[in-house]
Amino acid sequence: MENLTETERMTIERLLRRERESTLEAIGHFDESSRDLRERAGEMSLYRLHPADLGTEAQENEKEFLLASQEGRRLYAIDEALERLYKEPEAFGTCRRCGEPIGLPRLEVIPETPYCAVCAAALEAGAPAAPDAA
Ligand SMILES: [Zn+2]
C-alpha cells in the first residue's frame, strides 16, 4: 500500500490548519452573537487533544453543538482529520471504507476527507459506510 511521504503529510497538515483557520473565521463572521460559538469551537479542539481529561458526556455535548451548523460540521471533520494525522500518521491518506490510498490530488482539495473518491461517491449514493465491517 502506498502511503503519503512525510513531506506530503506536512503539506496536508498545513492545508488542514489553514482550513481550520478560515472555518473558525467563517463561524465568527456569522453574526455578533456567534463570537461565543467561535470561542467554544476553539476550546473544543484543545479538549479533543486531551480526551482523557474530558468525560464522555461533555464530549458528546461539544460534538452535538458543533454538528448543529454546516461550518461546525466542517470544523469537526477538520479536527478529526488532524487527530488522525497526529495519532496514526502512517494510516493517514488511506480510505476508511476500502483501505485504498485516497491520493494526494484529492487530499489537496479535501484534506479532511477520510474516503477515496470512489467510496465518497458510493456513500453519497446511499451505500453503507463500511461494507466490510460486520
Ligand atoms: Zn475507498
Side-chain angles (χ1 to χ4, degrees), residues 4-20 78 81-82 85-86 89 92-93 103-112:
L4 298 171
T5 66
E6 200 178 334
T7 311
E8 287 168 343
R9 284 200 295 263
M10 280 165 67
T11 302
I12 300 299
E13 187 196 354
R14 240 188 349 261
L15 286 171
L16 283 167
R17 294 214 158 271
R18 201 165 61 201
E19 296 230 3
R20 190 172 194 284
I78 291 169
L82 279 168
L85 185 62
Y86 293 139
F92 192 89
L104 191 61
R106 177 168 165 78
L107 286 171
E108 279 175 343
V109 180
I110 324 171
E112 75 273 22

Side-chain angles (χ1 to χ4, degrees), residues 9 19-20 31 38-39 50 78 84 91 96 99 104 110 118 120 122:
R9 284 200 295 263
E19 296 230 3
R20 190 172 194 284
D31 59 34
R38 181 178 172 162
E39 279 167 19
H50 306 281
I78 291 169
R84 279 186 284 124
R96 178 182 288 171
L104 191 61
I110 324 171
V118 174

Side-chain angles (χ1 to χ4, degrees), residues 95 98 116 119:
C95 176
C98 71
C116 72
C119 288

Side-chain angles (χ1 to χ4, degrees), residues 2-133:
E2 240 178 87
N3 275 324
L4 298 171
T5 66
E6 200 178 334
T7 311
E8 287 168 343
R9 284 200 295 263
M10 280 165 67
T11 302
I12 300 299
E13 187 196 354
R14 240 188 349 261
L15 286 171
L16 283 167
R17 294 214 158 271
R18 201 165 61 201
E19 296 230 3
R20 190 172 194 284
E21 280 303 305
S22 56
T23 305
L24 278 173
E25 218 160 278
I27 289 173
H29 287 166
F30 280 167
D31 59 34
E32 278 295 295
S33 64
S34 66
R35 204 175 297 143
D36 232 33
L37 173 59
R38 181 178 172 162
E39 279 167 19
R40 290 191 60 184
E43 276 173 25
M44 186 242 177
S45 171
L46 292 178
Y47 283 138
R48 283 175 60 76
L49 296 177
H50 306 281
D53 298 338
L54 203 66
T56 312
E57 197 185 329
Q59 272 177 335
E60 283 307 306
N61 287 345
E62 290 292 352
K63 183 175 170 182
E64 251 174 55
F65 168 76
L66 275 185
L67 297 186
S69 76
Q70 194 188 335
E71 292 301 329
R73 279 193 294 275
R74 184 151 170 76
L75 184 67
Y76 185 79
I78 291 169
D79 277 359
E80 196 205 44
L82 279 168
E83 198 170 291
R84 279 186 284 124
L85 185 62
Y86 293 139
K87 281 187 178 168
E88 293 178 276
E90 301 298 327
F92 192 89
T94 56
C95 176
R96 178 182 288 171
R97 187 165 176 270
C98 71
E100 293 292 320
I102 293 170
L104 191 61
R106 177 168 165 78
L107 286 171
E108 279 175 343
V109 180
I110 324 171
E112 75 273 22
T113 186
Y115 300 114
C116 72
V118 174
C119 288
L123 287 168
E124 254 176 54
D132 298 325

